[in-house]
Amino acid sequence: MKWNVIGVVATIAGGALLFFTDRAEAITLATRLLPIFVFVIGMSVVVNIAAKVQAFEAITAGLEAMAPASGVARQRVLWFGLIVLSIVSTVFLSLDTTAILITPLAVAVARRNSLHLVAIGLAVVWIANIASLPLPVSNLTNLLAVSGPAFFSTFDYAQQAFAPAILAIFVALGASWLVNRRGRRNALDLVTEPHQQLVPDPLRTIALTILAVLLPLLASPIPYWISSSVAATLLLVATLVLRKNLVGIGLVPWQSLLLATVFSTAATAANSLGGATLVISLLGDFEQTANGLVGLAWAGAGLSNLINNIPAFLALEPAVNSATGYLALLIGTNAGPIITPWASLATLLWHDQLVRAGIFIKWRTYMLAGCGLIAFALMVPLIPLIIKNL
């Protein structure tokens, strides 16, 4: 189904759902979503202009230039570099950015250097989902959590999420190492493509500079939407002066924002119609005990794999009030959507990029691997929360 068709369907569905949503709750939802959407629009402008001027290609070109000339050492350095790039992209630019931009870059580097394509593909999507806990900007669900009552600020969230997030990243690293170790070279690995030489571009330099300044700001106490808005404004001005043809409405993923709105409205409508009462009766005291935190995480993961992680988070949110409870739920909705294709939008975007690059990973392979990984992806990051509640 094409994105424009999805947009029409989503608009109709969203309008219909508003009739079932309490007015006060609808206003609250709009208040929560507004700064998130401002951030997404700003980051989309920055990332997409940077992509158009090949800023990310410049980063991978630098990685390849610094790696050893040949042999196993080169492959190991490049593999490690791609993993680090995926983690940095996920943490600071969001899991969707990793899915859309890092996936094709990783495939290109893998083809030029005989890295295992299926292994690097799985590594990127696992990192995109499992490593999306550290900062509010790493995942839309994190931004929704920060807009709730449990966190004083984005900096407060980053501090409290630090230990679970680090352990989640280690799980993603371990899974990536294991899939690479077990992977075997296949016919796809023998496909080669020439390395594109980049022509010097002043706008690329500006974009890379803005990205370099923006990344630490996103981890600072400064509101995330202000940082992204200022960065987008500066880069837009530079682009209008140097490459006006790059500016257009397509810089912003309007369809994705619309889908996120529909998902959020659907969950809010369900809560208005009694869903919140049901969730509270089933999970309301779970955040008080270690076993309950485990239950929250698994509930988030299970519902995410059924209906997608955004509505899953909003549907289960009435059951949590504390930062610990929110983090347990986020572990489920962030690291848990690694089994079904629709559990996370990033997974669908990742698979689309692989297909465009001529890489075909069967959904059965992805789902079986996710079933083997999910227990580690949930239980390991939960360790600091469980210890805290003992």
Side-chain angles (χ1 to χ4, degrees):
M1 186 180 293
K2 295 183 179 179
W3 272 114
N4 56 350
V5 177
I6 294 177
V8 173
V9 174
T11 301
I12 296 173
L17 285 169
L18 286 175
F19 286 104
F20 298 98
T21 305
D22 180 79
R23 183 177 179 181
E25 293 188 10
I27 293 174
T28 300
L29 176 64
T31 303
R32 295 180 71 183
L33 291 180
L34 181 59
I36 294 173
F37 283 4
V38 170
F39 164 76
V40 172
I41 290 171
M43 286 303 300
S44 297
V45 169
V46 172
V47 169
N48 287 327
I49 291 178
K52 286 178 180 291
V53 298
Q54 298 181 296
F56 297 98
E57 283 85 347
I59 295 173
T60 55
L63 173 63
E64 289 184 270
M66 291 187 295
S70 61
V72 176
R74 178 175 178 83
Q75 292 182 332
R76 287 177 177 172
V77 169
L78 290 176
W79 174 270
F80 179 76
L82 290 173
I83 295 302
V84 171
L85 181 60
S86 298
I87 291 173
V88 171
S89 172
T90 298
V91 172
F92 292 98
L93 302 179
S94 88
L95 73 168
D96 294 334
T97 298
T98 300
I100 294 173
L101 293 179
I102 304 303
T103 300
L105 292 179
V107 168
V109 173
R111 278 179 164 159
R112 286 194 292 265
N113 299 277
S114 296
L115 301 180
H116 195 278
L117 291 172
V118 173
I120 194 66
L122 289 174
V124 169
V125 74
W126 285 340
I127 288 171
N129 286 291
I130 299 172
S132 64
L133 193 65
L135 299 178
V137 299
S138 306
N139 198 320
L140 178 57
T141 51
N142 301 349
L143 294 174
L144 289 170
V146 169
S147 69
F151 300 101
F152 300 113
S153 64
T154 56
F155 191 65
D156 178 44
Y157 170 89
Q159 285 183 310
Q160 301 209 48
F162 179 79
I166 291 297
L167 290 177
I169 289 174
F170 275 113
V171 170
L173 286 172
S176 303
W177 174 82
L178 185 61
V179 74
N180 183 51
R181 181 179 176 84
R182 292 189 175 184
R184 296 179 180 179
R185 184 176 300 177
N186 55 38
L188 287 174
D189 294 314
L190 302 178
V191 177
T192 59
E193 55 185 48
H195 190 290
Q196 182 181 3
Q197 297 297 322
L198 298 178
V199 178
D201 184 349
L203 186 55
R204 184 189 307 129
T205 302
I206 293 173
L208 286 169
T209 302
I210 288 176
L211 281 170
V213 174
L214 178 60
L215 296 192
L217 290 179
L218 292 175
S220 74
I222 299 174
Y224 57 88
W225 59 271
I226 292 179
S227 299
S228 67
S229 298
V230 172
T233 301
L234 293 174
L235 189 52
L236 270 176
V237 170
T239 305
L240 287 170
V241 172
L242 298 174
R243 301 269 293 279
K244 186 178 179 180
N245 63 303
L246 297 182
V247 178
I249 195 171
L251 290 174
V252 177
W254 302 108
Q255 293 89 345
S256 297
L257 291 176
L258 185 57
L259 281 176
T261 302
V262 172
F263 284 149
S264 302
T265 305
T268 303
N271 287 338
S272 299
L273 296 173
T277 303
L278 177 62
V279 167
I280 292 173
S281 65
L282 293 175
L283 306 175
D285 59 347
F286 271 34
E287 62 186 341
Q288 305 300 323
T289 65
N291 288 336
L293 294 174
V294 174
L296 277 173
W298 279 99
L303 196 56
S304 294
N305 282 290
L306 285 176
I307 64 172
N308 182 268
N309 65 330
I310 296 174
F313 172 84
L314 289 170
L316 298 176
E317 187 184 19
V320 297
N321 294 292
S322 67
T324 303
Y326 266 96
L327 289 173
L329 178 57
L330 285 173
I331 289 171
T333 59
N334 288 18
I338 55 174
I339 296 179
T340 60
W342 56 84
S344 167
L345 176 61
T347 301
L348 295 174
L349 297 172
W350 160 81
H351 193 264
D352 177 67
Q353 289 298 322
L354 286 182
V355 171
R356 290 173 185 269
I359 310 296
F360 301 95
I361 297 179
K362 294 180 180 180
W363 282 121
R364 181 178 62 183
T365 301
Y366 171 81
M367 294 174 73
L368 288 174
C371 287
L373 177 59
I374 190 169
F376 298 96
L378 296 183
M379 297 306 296
V380 174
L382 279 170
I383 291 174
L385 304 182
I386 292 173
I387 293 175
K388 184 178 179 180
N389 256 44
L390 291 178

